[in-house]
Amino acid sequence: MIELITVLVILGILASTALPRFFDLSSYRQHGFFNDTLNAIRYAQKMAVATACNVQVEISGNRFELKRPGAADRGQCASTSAGDFTQAVGRPGSGETNYQGSQSGVTLSDARLYFTAKGTASADATIIVGSRQISVIQATGFVYDSTP
């Protein structure tokens, strides 16, 4: 009987201290949005190389979106003007017409960059997603998790 009471007390202590950590969804949302943003930026670089057409990543507020130049004749594929990036990039695998994402409650630093047909980025960039960060290297287009 004493063992049963001891076990119940220990379970009660664990339930009051450990279980709230398992049910805090904000950290899961932040981690999921971080991965989605990281993969979207990597996809933009791969798509620019595969199509030989620049692809822009626009991050503002708490959302991101991938776009490419909207010219039908591919005449603007090498464009670097933000106004030329009017065609939405589709999300691979899902059939969605826009590759974009957002998550309420997760902060995301603003950035706008594009990838060229050679795979290089328009600028070095550090993008903050919640408490984590993504870095983009201009010379190579390498995109990685640079969280300290």
Side-chain angles (χ1 to χ4, degrees), residues 13-144:
I13 293 170
L14 284 175
S16 66
T17 57
L19 285 181
R21 295 182 129 202
F22 291 113
F23 295 110
D24 180 21
L25 296 179
S26 64
S27 62
Y28 293 110
R29 287 184 184 130
Q30 178 181 324
H31 187 71
F33 189 53
F34 173 82
N35 286 334
D36 196 23
T37 306
L38 178 66
N39 290 329
I41 297 170
R42 287 177 174 165
Y43 180 71
Q45 193 250 3
K46 289 171 181 33
M47 183 167 197
V49 171
T51 63
C53 199
N54 292 353
V55 176
Q56 180 187 55
V57 179
E58 184 175 359
I59 301 171
S60 61
N62 69 334
R63 63 185 302 272
F64 66 82
E65 185 172 11
L66 305 185
K67 296 179 182 177
R68 28 185 304 190
D73 64 355
R74 297 181 53 87
Q76 292 179 338
C77 271
S79 175
T80 59
S81 173
D84 290 338
F85 291 93
T86 57
Q87 182 179 352
V89 171
R91 184 180 287 264
S94 71
E96 293 178 57
T97 57
N98 290 345
Y99 197 161
Q100 59 186 11
S102 65
Q103 180 66 55
S104 62
V106 179
T107 57
L108 185 63
S109 61
D110 292 350
R112 178 182 286 160
L113 64 136
Y114 63 87
F115 291 97
T116 68
K118 293 180 180 180
T120 60
S122 59
D124 287 326
T126 301
I127 301 153
I128 308 296
V129 183
S131 61
R132 302 182 71 185
Q133 67 184 26
I134 299 168
S135 291
V136 179
I137 306 299
Q138 179 180 11
T140 61
F142 183 58
V143 181
Y144 65 100

